[in-house]
């Protein structure tokens, strides 16, 4: 996997990668990560179009998903008396 560049964001660490004919967007927040794979053939404008897709409504949904991931993790820890 080839690192392309970081995409600045105040809340998340966002990295753009290229691998096997796909762009891979990795979004990290603390111990959690979300990964999105987009075929290079589906993106006419290359990395600029990928970055344009990371608009505020999308990133708001990403933030909500991270909150749900954390909630799920905490709940399973509580149920199983591990955390």
């Amino acid at each position: 996997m080839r690192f392309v560049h970081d995409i600045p964001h105040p809340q998340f660490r966002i990295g753009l990668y290229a691998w096997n004919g796909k762009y891979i967007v990795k979004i990290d927040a603390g111990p959690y990560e979300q990964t999105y794979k987009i075929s290079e053939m589906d993106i006419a404008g290359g990395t600029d179009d990928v970055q344009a897709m990371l608009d505020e409504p999308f990133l708001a949904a990403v933030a909500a998903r991270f909150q749900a991931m954390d909630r799920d993790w905490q709940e399973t820890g509580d149920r199983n008396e591990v955390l």
Side-chain angles (χ1 to χ4, degrees):
M1 184 165 24
R2 180 177 61 87
F3 175 75
V4 177
H5 62 81
D6 282 321
I7 298 170
H9 191 271
Q11 188 176 2
F12 310 121
R13 182 179 178 278
I14 304 174
L16 181 61
Y17 300 83
W19 181 69
N20 205 21
K22 292 180 175 54
Y23 292 115
I24 299 170
V25 178
K26 290 189 176 196
I27 306 171
D28 296 322
Y32 307 111
E33 176 181 279
Q34 295 178 44
T35 303
Y36 297 86
K37 297 177 184 176
I38 307 112
S39 173
E40 290 178 1
M41 310 262 296
D42 292 340
I43 303 293
T47 61
D48 289 339
D49 281 357
V50 173
Q51 193 162 341
M53 293 175 68
L54 306 178
D55 61 9
E56 284 308 310
F58 175 77
L59 292 173
V62 166
R65 196 166 296 113
F66 276 128
Q67 290 172 347
M69 290 168 72
D70 184 59
R71 186 177 53 251
D72 294 344
W73 187 246
Q74 294 302 318
E75 288 173 359
T76 193
D78 292 344
R79 273 192 315 275
N80 295 286
E81 300 178 356
V82 187
L83 299 176

